[in-house]
Amino acid sequence: MRQSLMHKNNCLPFQSHLRFHASSFLLDTNFSIFAFLHKQSPGTYQPFSLLRLHQSNNSKVIRAGAPAEPELGTGYFSDNDEDSVLETCITRTLPPAVTLEHGLEKIKEEVDKLKLDPPCSDSGILRIQIAVPPSAKSLNWFSCQPLSSGVFPQFFMSKETLSYMCEPPSLDRLRGVFGIGSAVSFIRSPSFTSGNWSSLRRFLSVVSPLITAYGFTNITFDSESLSMRHQNGSLYLFIPQIELDEYDCISILAATLAWGDSSDYSFQGAVNSFELSFYQACHHFRPAADNSNNQYKLRKFGLVDDVVSQMIYLNALSLDGNDIGFDPLLMKEVASPCQFCVRFSPAIGFSSNMLDHSREMTFSVQNCANINSLWASLIIEEFVRLGLTYFCIAPGSRSTPLSIAASTHSLTTCIACYDERSLAFHAVGYGRGSHKPAIVITSSGTAVSNLLPAVVEASQDFVPLLLLTADRPPELQDSGANQSINQVNHFGYFVRYFFSLPVPTDDISARMVVTTIDSAVFSATSTPRGPAHINCPFREPLENRPWKWNLSCLKGLENWMSSGEPFTKYIWSQHFHELNATRGIILEVIEIIQGARKGVLLIGAMHTEDELWAALLLAKHLMWPIVADILSGLRLRKILCFFPEVEDKFIFIDHFDHALLSAAVRIWAQSDVIIQLGSRITSKRVAQTLEEFIPRSFIMVGEHSSRHDPSHIITHRIQSTITQFADYLLKARFPYVSSHWCQFLQALDMMVAREISFQIDSEYSLTEPHVANIVSQSVSCESALFVGNSMAIRNADMYGRGSVKCTHNHNISSLVLSSGVPYHGIQVAGNRGASGIDGLLSTAIGFAVGCNKRVICLMGDVSFLHDTNGLALLNQRVQRKPMTILVTNNHGGAIFSFLPIAEATDRRVLSKYFYTSHEVSIRNLCVAHGVKHMQVRTKVELEDALYISQGEENDCLIEVESCIDFNLAFHSKLRKFASQAADQSLNLLSSISVSNSGFYLCKIQRMTYSLYRVQLCSPPTSASYNHDSTEFYREGFILTLFLEDGSFGFGEAAPLEIHKETLPGVEEQLRFLLHVIEGTYISCLVPSLKGSFSSWIWNGLGIKPSSIFPSVRCGLEMAILNAVAARQGSTLVDVLDSQANREEEIARHLSTVQICALLDSNGTPMEVAHLAATLVEEGFTAIKLKVARRLNPMEDVSVIQEVRKKVGSKIELRADANRKWSYSEAIHFGLCVRDCHLQYIEEPVKDESDIIKFCKETGLPVALDETIDNIQECPLKLLSKFSNPGIVAIVIKPSVVGGLEKAALIARWAQQNGKMAIVSAAFESGFSLSTYVQFALYLDRQNKETCRVMNKEVGSIVAHGLGTYRWLKEDVATEPFRTQRNTYSGFIEVSIEDSDYMLKRSELNRNTILRNFSGEKIHNYWFPMDFEDFSCSLKVKEIGVSNKVRTGYFPLYVFCW
């Protein structure tokens, strides 16, 4: 029998800790090895034939050539039709590299090791791969290859879709694949037969699905003559020797070596060929800081467009299970890129969709009619040559020469706007997204002054920006000329560079113009980045009217005009002498970090993917707690794999801000060393805490030298890129920060996070924190987020959700898993330089253009209204993907409601002069600009709107209705409960003694279970039964869980018909759990019942929590919690409530539970009334009557009326219809019993959607029961539909809803929404009933604490649905379930002491036990599994009868660490 639970090792490739020795190559790092495991000779791996290549006249497999010799020998894998055997087939994964250059170095080191100890095998293929930073570098790498290259082929293949590809392609924005050299190539002529396709498929499947063959259809390439010709039906494929494969979240650098048993195709020959490719690739790569225009770089190769040939790429995944042959129709199934360029020799190369032949690459003066036109054209041309092609043009007369030159240049992209302020902010956004400056062109006068806000923002936040401001000539200055102001140094120290050009004249060399541009661009793009301003005065004529000028001014520009290169190239130096000079300081910093006991890694704004990558590698290396700002991109990180072994190396503290609301936490969480990467952080509370409790050392790392230290606490300011700093530290060794410190912080953060999530999810209304939360989840790995200022960025920082599962396929996830970096950062931007609310919409639009991603923009209504002119920019879809703009409209400036001014100022003054309240129609503004508008008021509407907008090809604005007062109240509620959760968590954690084994309470020794059968007095009211039967029984399982100290606890798994479970199915899961749970440690957070049990089941047992049956989950939780209570010598309620503020008054008044009697209303109204009266005499204050069992609802009406008359008005009556009435029947009943004063009626209608309608029409209070029984995942989302005040109670059966943890969550939602939370039994034994008594007491105490925090009065005592004990004719326990009649009130109740006594002192009644089970023999073996996009082997634990005959060959894919 195989276990039926979803084990986590069944979800992703299995992680093992084995080592193999293959062909004298020690695999001591991450690798994959493919073999056939012969079951008859365990432990040995046989040579295998995976590559089968048949020689024919029409096809051959060769190794590609080196620079001097295009073919170092044509090597065949077989000289005849015999099978060829590859003895070594290995993929080796190295630890990730902080830069691409480091990745190349590590690969070279591995190849050098192989040279010293070469493989013993005669043939094989080896792939060495390493994860490198994910920013786009492949096109740049291709374009940097020299014209005289001798290593071929070389190619770049874009991964951009045709509809969104950039025109022209940008070196630092276009992702793809770069490859150079050929490890193996495959050539096929048109007469080739489809049967040999299997050879290629087997070859690609040899090592790993990551190996990809690239090639072209309809061409024949002669490697000897380096010639190429078109031939329909032909094919050329190759596997590159060096390959850079770029994804959104990761880039993989790989080297492939292949060798055979011939002398021409030896391992040494493969190494020699690789080294030639490696040398060329390494020595012809320039970083992306090289701004030269890529069109010029690509044009130098003489590439031509080829519409006949088609590039294709194939791997094991695309060929798996297919034999597509070479049928032209079937070949369409093979993947083909829309953009590529390839070189086969210095003279042969072609491309597709990469070049625009209509665009001239050299400068011409023929169209320059006058000197103004010449200078303007020189300016624009030099910008383009420097790679700056995005121009933002404001209309104006004086700037005519510049505007015409920019708009008519063949390589520029221009956008226009009538508002210079919006235009400048748009340029700032472009700089944020692309990390390159946009060029703003304006006229003279106040048009220039309107640029100031954007200039300040760019200066303060180090965003590159270029300003070309037209001006009047000197003779018109200070003379009262129209639109003439002093524009010299107009922006003061906010610009990095200023130069006022002279008025254009041919008396001045034109070289001065281009060198000025070169200098300005260098200043704007070098550290510290920022704005550069060039003032450009012009005399008339401003238009392109002919005016004679002297060509002599172009002297010295001859070479420049005939080439495509910028005039002055600024060389980026690494300043080796400076690095050596700072080595002593770096060593001092390393010593500080090594001595840290409580270190924290604070990550501020990150601007590039490479910075994110370096920060993640550093975080993994240090293993310090990470506090990530919203602008870091890591706050909204997407998780790519769910392996705890990998995730545990990253300790993200996402809700540190709210944890610091607790004064006790602020004192306790003091750190001694802080490293801050990136610029300032958003959270004021974090900054204030750091100022209050100053760390011993505060190390700030930033590329600029500006002082970002408002608290004046920084002790070490390191001016360095984050990548450089990470590189230094990754070479050093650091001891782990106190694991207790890290675990405490992580547990504290988890508890606060769950509290925040609960409060947001349980609120039915659409709140601004929910908007921030849902928007953060909507941002995909392929999109980006722009956040406005004021409340928008604060909400995103406090309530944005990280660690959401990414949508990448398993193939990419496996790459990330092997790299050890399981997260993908999200590009997030905002204007936090000066933090103004002006220009935000325009900035967001520019950001979308710059980053070339779908962008979601989140901002407030006042910010939006401040920049409505940005809507004019939104309509100009220039090189931009669709945007979604969310405007939270609370009709004013909500942030002022959070400030002290709100409490001390008259509301009228506050509304007019601070909130600036308004009733502006955002919808009408969108209509006026032709922008799609959607208005949402509910959570569901928001989710639907986001979903729709993400699938649209047009921009969309979503207006979210909000209210300042409600927003303030909800934030206050969030802060109170977050503070309470932080206090409670700290109390809990402080009371636990953390051992060396970890953050655990105790260890489970073993678990057993017993099948019982007890007799009932009557049939359960929830089950159908044989009316002729006189005996009724209840069956189930009692779990006994033993801890290592001998303590034990009971649990019960007893499914009813309503469980939709069976006893055999339950027992199957219990048998599996018996073996999995043995030796497991119980997390100290398990008793909190706030998601901790689910986390423990997944992380501790490796089981998907939702795959466990509800009754089994409930029984397991019972057993564990009762065992923990026994170990601690306390009651279960004290174990659950240990973190609460248990005052003596609470303990004194909440120590008993009142019970609601259950009455099956069979019989006449008088008979039922008599039974009810008997129950009242016994001391019951509440009675629940079963209804809807009769044919006519009026019969039930008569029963209810008679019972009410008999018992009087002081007894609470409940009715339970169990969803058996139609809506009309329920209405009929409800209208007739309105005067009977029912406390509530449970589930009156069959259809869940009719419940609220029933409440409104009858006015009767309703309770939910079966409705919540059907909840499997996300109960709060379903419950939110029932916040209507007509729903007064939630009846919770823990064994049906799935355990005490889920029951506690549902109960808390009910209590916070003013509803009764009633614990109900499902006819279980006394063990369960006693546990439910303790659990009900815990819920009652929780309710009292909730009311205290919310300043609400506590309602009357609730009678819980535990009256099923009266059905037990006998019990599984030797001690009876004890009830008592209160001496003072006379009410029936159960005390803590009695229920605790039963749980601790009672034993199993052997007369009721049918059999016991304590375990059985386990058979362990590996089970191979092949899926569409990955393969793995599972470690199977099989119980039951063993199949002794297991013969044959089984493929085994092992992922080892």
Side-chain angles (χ1 to χ4, degrees):
M1 177 188 68
R2 291 193 176 94
Q3 56 88 6
S4 60
L5 303 182
M6 180 65 74
H7 196 273
K8 70 180 175 185
N9 290 343
N10 295 357
C11 303
L12 288 172
F14 178 69
Q15 297 185 29
S16 167
H17 297 275
L18 304 176
R19 283 190 180 181
F20 292 87
H21 199 79
S23 304
S24 304
F25 186 65
L26 183 61
L27 305 176
D28 53 0
T29 55
N30 300 349
F31 71 97
S32 305
I33 184 166
F34 288 54
F36 280 101
L37 178 62
H38 199 292
K39 291 292 182 177
Q40 293 177 333
S41 54
T44 62
Y45 291 85
Q46 306 295 329
F48 48 92
S49 299
L50 286 181
L51 178 61
R52 211 170 278 201
L53 295 173
H54 302 285
Q55 182 178 354
S56 76
N57 296 327
N58 299 318
S59 67
K60 62 179 178 179
V61 176
I62 64 173
R63 222 173 103 252
E69 301 175 66
E71 231 176 341
L72 288 178
T74 301
Y76 292 86
F77 279 100
S78 59
D79 296 323
N80 48 48
D81 288 339
E82 296 296 325
D83 289 347
S84 154
V85 176
L86 266 74
E87 300 175 51
T88 300
C89 305
I90 298 169
T91 292
R92 181 171 185 179
T93 302
L94 305 178
V98 72
T99 65
L100 176 62
E101 293 83 352
H102 291 172
L104 287 166
E105 292 172 6
K106 289 184 178 181
I107 286 178
K108 184 62 168 63
E109 290 172 2
E110 293 303 315
V111 174
D112 289 342
K113 291 177 185 177
L114 278 175
K115 290 166 63 178
L116 298 176
D117 185 16
C120 301
S121 57
D122 293 329
S123 62
I125 184 167
L126 167 67
R127 174 183 169 96
I128 304 173
Q129 63 186 23
I130 185 170
V132 295
S135 64
K137 303 179 182 69
S138 55
L139 179 55
N140 184 35
W141 203 354
F142 173 83
S143 65
C144 288
Q145 299 308 303
L147 281 169
S148 58
S149 172
V151 179
F152 296 98
Q154 305 165 7
F155 75 91
F156 165 78
M157 181 189 78
S158 169
K159 291 188 174 182
E160 191 70 66
T161 59
L162 187 61
S163 58
Y164 288 134
M165 66 186 185
C166 304
E167 290 289 353
S170 174
L171 292 178
D172 54 356
R173 288 168 55 181
L174 200 59
R175 294 188 195 280
V177 181
F178 165 71
I180 186 170
S182 174
V184 175
S185 59
F186 186 93
I187 301 175
R188 189 221 58 170
S189 66
S191 58
F192 184 75
T193 61
S194 63
N196 290 81
W197 183 260
S198 58
S199 302
L200 180 61
R201 182 170 65 249
R202 291 191 182 95
F203 178 73
L204 292 177
S205 303
V206 164
V207 184
S208 115
L210 301 178
I211 285 194
T212 301
Y214 304 88
F216 300 87
T217 61
N218 301 323
I219 69 167
T220 298
F221 177 65
D222 190 330
S223 58
E224 296 179 359
S225 62
L226 295 180
S227 62
M228 182 197 77
R229 63 188 176 89
H230 290 290
Q231 187 175 19
N232 290 335
S234 58
L235 178 73
Y236 171 64
L237 288 170
F238 62 93
I239 296 175
Q241 286 177 315
I242 295 174
E243 174 187 6
L244 177 64
D245 194 358
E246 297 171 333
Y247 298 89
D248 284 317
C249 57
I250 194 172
S251 293
I252 298 296
L253 177 67
T256 303
L257 283 76
W259 66 96
D261 52 6
S262 68
S263 59
D264 293 334
Y265 197 43
S266 64
F267 175 77
Q268 185 59 49
V271 171
N272 292 341
S273 178
F274 162 78
E275 288 181 334
L276 291 170
S277 297
F278 181 85
Y279 180 85
Q280 175 166 311
C282 283
H283 289 80
H284 296 91
F285 172 75
R286 292 192 295 272
D290 176 14
N291 286 320
S292 301
N293 188 276
N294 55 291
Q295 286 285 304
Y296 294 123
K297 288 183 176 182
L298 294 177
R299 184 67 65 175
K300 72 180 180 182
F301 295 134
L303 302 175
V304 297
D305 281 337
D306 190 326
V307 297
V308 177
S309 302
Q310 178 186 17
M311 187 175 187
I312 61 173
Y313 54 99
L314 310 164
N315 56 29
L317 299 179
S318 59
L319 292 175
D320 189 29
N322 297 313
D323 189 6
I324 63 176
F326 289 96
D327 188 314
L329 294 177
L330 296 179
M331 280 297 290
K332 294 181 179 179
E333 298 181 16
V334 179
S336 178
C338 64
Q339 288 177 289
F340 65 83
C341 42
V342 63
R343 297 179 67 206
F344 290 108
S345 73
I348 301 176
F350 56 87
S351 66
S352 174
N353 292 317
M354 297 293 291
L355 299 171
D356 189 340
H357 288 287
S358 66
R359 300 182 173 186
E360 294 294 330
M361 295 296 113
T362 56
F363 180 75
S364 172
V365 298
Q366 294 178 355
N367 296 326
C368 299
N370 53 54
I371 195 65
N372 285 344
S373 176
L374 174 67
W375 277 37
S377 298
L378 290 172
I379 290 171
I380 303 305
E381 174 67 19
E382 189 67 357
F383 276 131
V384 171
R385 295 188 181 205
L386 289 166
L388 309 181
T389 60
Y390 195 70
F391 288 81
C392 305
I393 302 174
S397 174
R398 190 60 55 171
S399 55
T400 297
L402 294 171
S403 298
I404 291 177
S407 60
T408 57
H409 196 286
S410 59
L411 291 178
T412 62
T413 300
C414 299
I415 192 169
C417 184
Y418 43 76
D419 183 352
E420 288 86 359
R421 186 181 66 172
S422 291
L423 193 70
F425 273 112
H426 179 79
V428 171
Y430 178 85
R432 288 194 185 281
S434 68
H435 316 298
K436 299 192 303 182
I439 299 97
V440 180
I441 297 175
T442 72
S443 187
S444 61
T446 56
V448 179
S449 301
N450 277 317
L451 305 180
L452 180 59
V455 170
V456 171
E457 176 62 32
S459 178
Q460 295 291 98
D461 215 17
F462 310 101
V463 179
L465 176 67
L466 271 300
L467 308 172
L468 295 180
T469 59
D471 200 359
R472 263 53 177 173
E475 62 269 20
L476 296 181
Q477 300 292 336
D478 294 325
S479 63
N482 190 39
Q483 289 190 1
S484 176
I485 64 172
N486 184 2
Q487 296 177 195
V488 175
N489 289 314
H490 196 68
F491 304 112
Y493 57 80
F494 288 112
V495 294
R496 307 290 185 263
Y497 176 93
F498 171 77
F499 189 84
S500 187
L501 288 169
V503 175
T505 173
D506 53 12
D507 293 333
I508 300 176
S509 171
R511 298 192 304 275
M512 183 274 299
V513 178
V514 293
T515 58
T516 298
I517 300 303
D518 295 333
S519 180
V521 171
F522 180 75
S523 298
T525 56
S526 58
T527 303
R529 298 179 185 87
H533 178 200
I534 300 176
N535 197 48
C536 307
F538 291 104
R539 291 191 178 96
E540 295 183 353
L542 301 175
E543 69 279 9
N544 215 14
R545 176 157 40 102
W547 194 278
K548 186 177 179 181
W549 56 278
N550 196 331
L551 286 171
S552 63
C553 68
L554 297 176
K555 182 180 179 181
L557 288 178
E558 294 82 5
N559 292 334
W560 179 84
M561 288 190 291
S562 62
S563 74
E565 299 291 331
F567 189 86
T568 302
K569 295 181 181 179
Y570 284 81
I571 307 300
W572 294 79
S573 172
Q574 294 294 325
H575 305 295
F576 294 106
H577 62 283
E578 293 182 12
L579 295 180
N580 291 329
T582 60
R583 182 171 178 81
I585 299 175
I586 293 295
L587 291 176
E588 177 186 338
V589 169
I590 289 175
E591 289 178 2
I592 291 172
I593 298 172
Q594 288 172 335
R597 296 180 63 250
K598 295 181 178 180
V600 171
L601 187 60
L602 189 60
I603 304 183
M606 299 275 109
H607 302 295
T608 67
E609 293 168 302
D610 289 1
E611 288 180 343
L612 278 172
W613 177 261
L616 279 170
L617 292 183
L618 180 58
K620 178 185 175 185
H621 188 61
L622 293 176
M623 289 188 69
W624 282 15
I626 307 161
V627 178
D629 186 81
I630 181 63
L631 294 179
S632 69
L634 295 177
R635 182 66 180 79
L636 304 184
R637 63 197 174 278
K638 304 298 180 183
I639 189 165
L640 296 151
C641 65
F642 284 105
F643 274 96
E645 295 85 348
V646 180
E647 290 181 74
D648 287 348
K649 296 184 181 296
F650 298 88
I651 308 168
F652 282 99
I653 312 299
D654 288 335
H655 296 282
F656 198 46
D657 176 278
H658 270 40
L660 294 175
L661 286 164
S662 164
V665 170
R666 288 198 299 274
I667 296 171
W668 173 84
Q670 297 180 52
S671 56
D672 56 355
V673 177
I674 289 180
I675 300 175
Q676 180 177 336
L677 306 179
S679 58
R680 48 182 162 255
I681 57 175
T682 302
S683 172
K684 184 178 181 180
R685 201 155 18 244
V686 171
Q688 288 175 335
T689 302
L690 293 176
E691 187 174 353
E692 182 180 1
F693 303 102
I694 300 175
R696 174 170 53 85
S697 298
F698 194 118
I699 303 162
M700 183 174 181
V701 182
E703 192 172 359
H704 59 83
S705 59
S706 299
R707 182 174 69 167
H708 279 185
D709 184 19
S711 299
H712 309 290
I713 58 176
I714 293 176
T715 59
H716 295 76
R717 179 66 170 85
I718 299 176
Q719 186 179 358
S720 162
T721 66
I722 293 170
T723 300
Q724 290 171 338
F725 180 74
D727 182 39
Y728 273 120
L729 265 60
L730 289 173
K731 296 173 184 176
R733 292 184 177 274
F734 300 102
Y736 290 142
V737 173
S738 167
S739 60
H740 298 170
W741 155 258
C742 295
Q743 290 174 351
F744 265 54
L745 268 180
Q746 198 168 24
L748 178 70
D749 180 72
M750 182 177 65
M751 301 293 281
V752 173
R754 285 172 178 162
E755 182 63 33
I756 291 173
S757 179
F758 171 81
Q759 296 297 336
I760 292 175
D761 292 343
S762 62
E763 175 57 50
Y764 176 72
S765 301
L766 179 56
T767 65
E768 293 184 22
H770 176 78
V771 172
N773 186 273
I774 200 70
V775 166
S776 65
Q777 297 179 56
S778 300
V779 182
S780 68
C781 294
E782 297 81 17
S783 56
L785 176 67
F786 185 89
V787 193
N789 287 321
S790 193
M791 285 306 300
I793 193 167
R794 288 168 174 81
N795 281 328
D797 189 56
M798 292 186 292
Y799 307 118
R801 183 180 176 188
S803 296
V804 180
K805 183 71 172 70
C806 190
T807 55
H808 283 311
N809 61 40
H810 289 297
N811 191 31
I812 299 177
S813 297
S814 66
L815 293 176
V816 178
L817 180 63
S818 65
S819 74
V821 182
Y823 298 106
H824 178 206
I826 297 297
Q827 191 171 359
V828 183
N831 280 354
R832 297 303 285 175
S835 300
I837 65 168
D838 47 346
L840 291 175
L841 178 59
S842 300
T843 307
I845 299 167
F847 174 69
V849 178
C851 70
N852 192 36
K853 295 180 179 180
R854 275 188 175 266
V855 169
I856 298 179
C857 172
L858 177 62
M859 64 173 56
D861 53 320
V862 177
S863 297
F864 174 79
L865 295 177
H866 207 292
D867 190 26
T868 53
N869 283 341
L871 290 171
L873 292 164
L874 196 64
N875 279 324
Q876 301 182 55
R877 284 283 297 278
V878 179
Q879 291 189 6
R880 178 172 63 77
K881 297 179 180 179
M883 290 183 65
T884 300
I885 301 164
L886 275 94
V887 178
T888 304
N889 187 4
N890 47 41
H891 303 277
I895 193 170
F896 292 102
S897 65
F898 293 85
L899 303 179
I901 187 68
E903 298 178 0
T905 306
D906 179 79
R907 178 59 186 253
R908 182 184 60 81
V909 174
L910 195 68
S911 177
K912 183 175 182 179
Y913 298 105
F914 291 90
Y915 294 167
T916 56
S917 300
H918 67 88
E919 293 298 331
V920 177
S921 172
I922 292 177
R923 177 186 178 278
N924 288 344
L925 287 170
C926 291
V927 170
H929 288 83
V931 176
K932 181 176 180 179
H933 173 271
M934 288 189 285
Q935 190 170 36
V936 299
R937 291 182 172 86
T938 67
K939 289 182 175 181
V940 174
E941 288 177 350
L942 174 60
E943 292 179 16
D944 291 345
L946 281 169
Y947 178 79
I948 293 170
S949 68
Q950 294 298 84
E952 293 274 342
E953 292 302 313
N954 297 312
D955 301 316
C956 178
L957 187 144
I958 301 173
E959 180 184 356
V960 182
E961 275 293 320
S962 184
C963 169
I964 289 179
D965 293 334
F966 177 78
N967 180 52
L968 177 64
F970 186 69
H971 274 84
S972 176
K973 176 182 174 182
L974 274 175
R975 289 195 300 271
K976 286 179 180 179
F977 279 106
S979 178
Q980 180 197 48
D983 284 331
Q984 292 175 352
S985 302
L986 188 60
N987 291 338
L988 172 65
L989 297 171
S990 301
S991 66
I992 295 172
S993 176
V994 183
S995 64
N996 292 330
S997 60
F999 211 51
Y1000 304 105
L1001 283 174
C1002 47
K1003 183 180 180 180
I1004 298 173
Q1005 185 186 58
R1006 61 191 173 91
M1007 187 175 79
T1008 64
Y1009 67 82
S1010 305
L1011 175 63
Y1012 74 81
R1013 191 177 193 224
V1014 296
Q1015 190 172 4
L1016 303 179
C1017 303
S1018 303
T1021 59
S1022 60
S1024 59
Y1025 64 94
N1026 184 354
H1027 290 276
D1028 296 331
S1029 177
T1030 57
E1031 293 184 349
F1032 310 98
Y1033 294 93
R1034 182 81 163 93
E1035 291 182 328
F1037 298 95
I1038 296 296
L1039 287 61
T1040 310
L1041 186 134
F1042 298 88
L1043 304 180
E1044 59 181 347
D1045 67 347
S1047 304
F1048 66 91
F1050 292 117
E1052 182 173 1
L1056 282 175
E1057 292 178 1
I1058 57 175
H1059 288 73
K1060 299 179 182 178
E1061 303 172 24
T1062 63
L1063 279 176
V1066 167
E1067 183 169 15
E1068 184 176 315
Q1069 290 199 351
L1070 290 176
R1071 289 175 69 185
F1072 173 73
L1073 284 170
L1074 227 64
H1075 299 287
V1076 172
I1077 206 170
E1078 186 176 321
T1080 304
Y1081 286 91
I1082 300 174
S1083 167
C1084 68
L1085 298 178
V1086 158
S1088 70
L1089 298 186
K1090 294 184 177 178
S1092 48
F1093 245 118
S1094 293
S1095 295
W1096 176 77
I1097 289 171
W1098 171 245
N1099 295 322
L1101 303 183
I1103 300 171
K1104 189 176 180 181
S1106 61
S1107 66
I1108 304 179
F1109 289 145
S1111 67
V1112 175
R1113 169 78 181 261
C1114 186
L1116 180 64
E1117 291 181 3
M1118 271 191 210
I1120 289 175
L1121 292 172
N1122 284 325
V1124 170
R1127 178 178 182 271
Q1128 295 181 358
S1130 62
T1131 64
L1132 174 59
V1133 69
D1134 286 338
V1135 169
L1136 298 176
D1137 199 32
S1138 61
Q1139 66 213 29
N1141 181 18
R1142 290 183 286 112
E1143 303 170 358
E1144 292 184 6
E1145 187 270 336
I1146 294 178
R1148 183 170 65 251
H1149 291 281
L1150 294 177
S1151 59
T1152 60
V1153 169
Q1154 291 189 12
I1155 294 179
C1156 174
L1158 178 62
L1159 186 57
D1160 197 343
S1161 55
N1162 292 326
T1164 66
M1166 293 293 293
E1167 290 172 340
V1168 177
H1170 176 74
L1171 292 173
T1174 303
L1175 293 172
V1176 172
E1177 290 176 2
E1178 292 179 15
F1180 288 98
T1181 59
I1183 300 173
K1184 181 166 80 171
L1185 295 98
K1186 290 289 184 176
V1187 294
R1189 310 296 176 91
R1190 307 168 191 267
L1191 294 178
N1192 188 347
M1194 288 307 296
E1195 296 180 41
D1196 288 310
V1197 170
S1198 298
V1199 170
I1200 295 294
Q1201 290 173 340
E1202 188 63 32
V1203 170
R1204 172 55 76 193
K1205 185 164 73 171
K1206 188 74 173 178
V1207 301
S1209 60
K1210 293 184 179 180
I1211 301 301
E1212 298 287 358
L1213 288 186
R1214 305 168 181 173
D1216 185 3
N1218 292 116
R1219 284 188 166 188
K1220 293 186 177 180
W1221 276 328
S1222 66
Y1223 183 72
S1224 60
E1225 290 173 328
I1227 291 294
H1228 191 188
F1229 172 85
L1231 294 176
C1232 292
V1233 299
R1234 283 194 294 188
D1235 295 334
C1236 294
H1237 306 293
L1238 293 179
Q1239 188 178 26
Y1240 58 72
I1241 176 170
E1242 286 183 37
E1243 302 288 349
V1245 289
K1246 292 179 180 178
D1247 193 338
E1248 178 183 296
S1249 61
D1250 288 334
I1251 294 177
I1252 302 299
K1253 191 165 62 169
F1254 173 86
C1255 293
K1256 293 178 179 179
E1257 187 166 344
T1258 65
L1260 284 179
V1262 170
L1264 302 182
D1265 185 358
E1266 284 84 359
T1267 297
I1268 67 165
D1269 291 347
N1270 297 326
I1271 298 175
Q1272 295 299 321
E1273 300 289 339
C1274 305
L1276 297 180
K1277 188 173 183 179
L1278 184 144
L1279 287 169
S1280 65
K1281 298 188 299 184
F1282 299 103
S1283 60
N1284 186 287
I1287 309 293
V1288 300
I1290 308 294
V1291 180
I1292 309 165
K1293 298 184 183 72
S1295 63
V1296 179
V1297 300
L1300 301 176
E1301 184 167 83
K1302 187 174 286 187
L1305 179 71
I1306 296 170
R1308 189 157 183 233
W1309 176 86
Q1311 291 167 347
Q1312 283 205 15
N1313 284 272
K1315 308 178 190 304
M1316 293 178 282
I1318 297 172
V1319 179
S1320 179
F1323 300 94
E1324 294 105 325
S1325 73
F1327 286 124
S1328 288
L1329 288 167
S1330 296
T1331 302
Y1332 294 158
V1333 167
Q1334 302 266 331
F1335 180 62
L1337 279 167
Y1338 162 69
L1339 296 183
D1340 290 343
R1341 291 185 181 183
Q1342 176 181 266
N1343 183 46
K1344 189 174 183 68
E1345 183 66 14
T1346 297
C1347 291
R1348 183 188 67 82
V1349 174
M1350 297 179 68
N1351 295 319
K1352 292 168 55 177
E1353 290 187 6
V1354 181
S1356 58
I1357 295 175
V1358 174
H1360 292 277
L1362 306 179
T1364 56
Y1365 76 90
R1366 296 169 61 89
W1367 264 250
L1368 295 173
K1369 194 170 185 179
E1370 61 180 336
D1371 201 352
V1372 181
T1374 54
E1375 296 290 334
F1377 178 72
R1378 297 180 181 179
T1379 61
Q1380 64 183 20
R1381 191 160 186 171
N1382 189 290
T1383 306
Y1384 300 100
S1385 66
F1387 299 152
I1388 288 290
E1389 58 189 22
V1390 184
S1391 68
I1392 291 180
E1393 293 77 9
D1394 287 340
S1395 58
D1396 184 60
Y1397 181 87
M1398 182 173 190
L1399 290 171
K1400 289 190 173 64
R1401 305 299 181 198
S1402 188
E1403 298 178 356
L1404 290 178
N1405 179 0
R1406 299 301 167 186
N1407 296 326
T1408 64
I1409 302 302
L1410 302 181
R1411 56 181 167 82
N1412 299 306
F1413 189 86
S1414 58
E1416 57 196 316
K1417 186 176 181 181
I1418 303 174
H1419 306 282
N1420 295 305
Y1421 63 92
W1422 292 92
F1423 184 76
M1425 300 183 71
D1426 293 294
F1427 298 95
E1428 181 181 352
D1429 49 3
F1430 77 95
S1431 300
C1432 64
S1433 286
L1434 307 181
K1435 185 176 182 180
V1436 178
K1437 290 187 175 183
E1438 188 174 74
I1439 55 180
V1441 179
S1442 174
N1443 179 12
K1444 298 295 184 181
V1445 182
R1446 290 196 185 100
T1447 59
Y1449 291 94
F1450 287 82
L1452 179 63
Y1453 298 11
V1454 184
F1455 293 81
C1456 296
W1457 274 258

